[in-house]
Amino acid sequence: MDDRRRRFEAQALPHLDAAYNLARWLSRSPADADDIVQDAMLRAFRAFDGFAGGDIKAWLLTIVRNCWRSAGAASKRRGHTVLDENLVAADPDPEVLAVQAGTRRKLDAAIAQLPEEFREVLILREMEDMSYREIAEVTGTPIGTVMSRLARARAALREFVKDGL
């Protein structure tokens, strides 16, 4: 294995789950997310020599976002598929499992109803624990816009919860 590949795997592969998570929420389809991440990782590997250092997670998630955007026209023609509702870990107590699955479905549905730009920053901040600066870098928007979108996304989710999801 060559040195370039070793460096890429050491730096980029730890962020593969974050890349898939973002792609899944953006595309609203686990199958499309797989394709997006595969394309993004290939593009990232090809462009790795041009990576100037810094935050590789933000760099990789920017590529994921760009791959999703470039696949967007085809996705819109096909329509969005429903998120997998069985994403909750198995619990030995069926009642607890049923409540958790229902809550997760409702939360997924609420997040899915958010406008794209709100959903994107919410996922990056709350699920990927990225800083505002990193989110601004990934989305190509000013930090103030990231903060505004995040506040609006959280407010919309509060309304969903208030209204009983």
Side-chain angles (χ1 to χ4, degrees), residues 28 59 70 89 131 140:
R28 300 179 184 185
W59 179 75
S70 65
S131 70

Side-chain angles (χ1 to χ4, degrees), residues 34-156:
D34 288 338
D35 293 341
I36 291 167
V37 171
Q38 182 177 6
D39 186 30
M41 293 304 284
L42 182 59
R43 288 183 188 189
F45 182 69
R46 288 179 180 158
F48 190 62
D49 289 335
F51 176 62
D55 187 3
I56 193 158
K57 183 177 182 181
W59 179 75
L60 181 61
L61 293 181
T62 300
I63 295 171
V64 168
R65 183 175 182 264
N66 291 338
C67 287
W68 170 73
R69 287 208 183 276
S70 65
S75 176
K76 286 181 182 178
R77 282 194 307 271
R78 288 190 314 269
H80 295 296
T81 57
V82 179
L83 287 174
D84 183 0
E85 295 178 357
N86 298 317
L87 296 176
V88 180
D91 192 312
D93 181 4
E95 183 178 353
V96 171
L97 181 59
V99 169
Q100 288 176 344
T103 302
R104 181 59 190 232
R105 277 192 304 272
K106 289 177 183 177
L107 181 59
D108 284 352
I111 292 172
Q113 289 180 19
L114 291 173
E116 173 186 314
E117 62 272 6
F118 294 172
R119 186 175 62 248
E120 181 176 55
V121 296
L122 184 73
I123 297 304
L124 291 172
R125 178 68 189 132
E126 301 301 340
M127 295 184 181
E128 297 307 326
D129 201 31
M130 295 182 80
S131 70
Y132 294 151
R133 182 188 57 76
E134 291 170 325
I135 296 169
E137 185 179 329
V138 168
T139 60
T141 57
I143 290 177
T145 302
V146 168
M147 294 168 64
S148 173
R149 288 178 180 174
L150 187 57
R152 290 178 183 185
R154 288 173 175 161

